Amino acid sequence: MKNQSKLLIVWVITLIMVVIPVSSLYGQDVQKSIGGELTPDITWRIEGNILYISGKGVVPTTMFGARSAWHDYRSKFHSVVIEDGITGLGQNVFTGYKNITSLTIAGSVKDLAPSSFNSCKNLSVVEVKGATPSDINASVFYRLKYKNVKLIVPAGTKATYEADPFWGKFGTIEESAQSEDMQPASTVTLTEPCIIHLKRNANFFGGGAKIKVFLNGVEQEKIGNGETIVMQTDRVKNELFLQWNKTALSIRRFEATAGGDIHIEYSNMIAYMKIIDEENETKDDTQ
């Protein structure tokens, strides 16, 4: 009887261990690590309810029905943190992500491509770390109810963000309690002017109406569909802004070099300006 009792006890313990994971007996849940590689230099991971994007460079565009690497895990996170080192986001990387309620953007991010946060209707807090606003256009936060969203900016930069035609749309803009190390750079003058070539692509969007061009706050010659205008700057840091009537269309911040030539292409279809080299290929580094 004693041997039978011992066998019964062993059998019961074995059954319990099979049915109930060891981790659960200790009150812990073992979770599979969620994350992966986007490029050789960029990775993503989900910790708790936060998606982190880390590394160096631009997060690749998601186009033509393709889904982002984290799409199947979208119910597991409510916040997105773009960490220092990431310089830009491609198109559509978070289009339609209604699960996102908060977003943090590192100061290294200089460019958010069209529709990168399109239809993220439940965003309530956006925190940016850069003293200079990132380049965005009207479609980046398309369908967002700006008046219901709080924008948190580095200490001492509220006025800069309020004056931006896109970031200034947020209903509430507050400064973070802690000052950021990075402050807006002072204007540096070039020893020799840099030439800027702005080309407006011809397509069925935008018709023949000309749009206003502003370089560093000064209105330039208007540009029509299919036209190219030439300007020059004597500043290292520059801001190019396009406007139709009173509607802000696109903004591009960039650095110029003495005696250089910069070619910028504007697409009517996505209201976006990109810097191209002399061979008409997009530059990898968005200024």
Side-chain angles (χ1 to χ4, degrees), residues 198-203 205-215 218-229 231 240-251 264-273:
L198 174 64
K199 177 183 178 182
R200 179 182 173 188
N201 283 344
N203 55 38
F205 283 88
K210 291 200 171 188
I211 56 180
K212 293 180 179 179
V213 178
F214 295 86
L215 178 61
V218 179
E219 186 170 353
Q220 308 291 311
E221 176 186 351
K222 292 183 179 180
I223 188 169
N225 215 14
E227 293 181 351
T228 298
I229 62 172
M231 302 160 280
L240 193 60
F241 174 62
L242 303 184
Q243 182 182 55
W244 178 67
N245 289 337
K246 295 183 179 181
T247 302
L249 296 175
S250 185
I251 195 166
I264 299 177
E265 190 174 88
Y266 170 70
S267 171
N268 292 330
M269 184 177 293
I270 55 176
Y272 185 62
M273 282 189 283

Side-chain angles (χ1 to χ4, degrees), residues 91-136:
Q91 291 179 243
N92 303 306
V93 289
F94 288 103
T95 291
Y97 279 64
K98 298 178 182 179
N99 55 298
I100 301 175
T101 57
S102 70
L103 169 65
T104 302
I105 303 173
S108 60
V109 178
K110 302 303 180 186
D111 181 36
L112 299 178
S115 298
S116 42
F117 291 95
N118 179 2
S119 299
C120 293
K121 298 180 180 180
N122 292 316
L123 262 176
S124 58
V125 178
V126 175
E127 182 174 6
V128 291
K129 301 290 188 178
T132 301
S134 301
D135 286 339
I136 65 174

Side-chain angles (χ1 to χ4, degrees), residues 73-245:
Y73 306 100
R74 62 193 182 282
S75 63
K76 296 184 179 295
F77 62 88
H78 304 290
S79 300
V80 174
V81 176
I82 304 170
E83 298 190 311
D84 191 53
I86 301 298
T87 56
L89 263 66
Q91 291 179 243
N92 303 306
V93 289
F94 288 103
T95 291
Y97 279 64
K98 298 178 182 179
N99 55 298
I100 301 175
T101 57
S102 70
L103 169 65
T104 302
I105 303 173
S108 60
V109 178
K110 302 303 180 186
D111 181 36
L112 299 178
S115 298
S116 42
F117 291 95
N118 179 2
S119 299
C120 293
K121 298 180 180 180
N122 292 316
L123 262 176
S124 58
V125 178
V126 175
E127 182 174 6
V128 291
K129 301 290 188 178
T132 301
S134 301
D135 286 339
I136 65 174
N137 65 22
S139 72
V140 169
F141 294 106
Y142 183 61
R143 292 182 178 173
L144 181 69
K145 293 182 179 179
Y146 287 90
K147 64 180 181 180
N148 298 330
V149 184
K150 179 192 294 185
L151 177 64
I152 302 174
V153 302
T157 65
K158 182 178 179 180
T160 300
Y161 277 88
E162 286 179 333
D164 188 275
F166 299 105
W167 292 104
K169 292 181 179 181
F170 283 83
T172 303
I173 301 179
E174 296 180 357
E175 294 185 353
S176 58
Q178 185 175 2
S179 298
E180 294 290 320
D181 293 334
M182 186 174 69
Q183 295 298 325
S186 58
T187 301
V188 179
T189 303
L190 297 170
T191 56
E192 185 180 351
C194 177
I195 306 301
I196 302 167
H197 308 262
L198 174 64
K199 177 183 178 182
R200 179 182 173 188
N201 283 344
N203 55 38
F204 56 91
F205 283 88
K210 291 200 171 188
I211 56 180
K212 293 180 179 179
V213 178
F214 295 86
L215 178 61
N216 300 324
V218 179
E219 186 170 353
Q220 308 291 311
E221 176 186 351
K222 292 183 179 180
I223 188 169
N225 215 14
E227 293 181 351
T228 298
I229 62 172
V230 179
M231 302 160 280
Q232 69 176 35
T233 179
D234 60 358
R235 293 171 50 171
V236 172
K237 294 184 178 293
N238 297 272
E239 180 180 280
L240 193 60
F241 174 62
L242 303 184
Q243 182 182 55
W244 178 67
N245 289 337

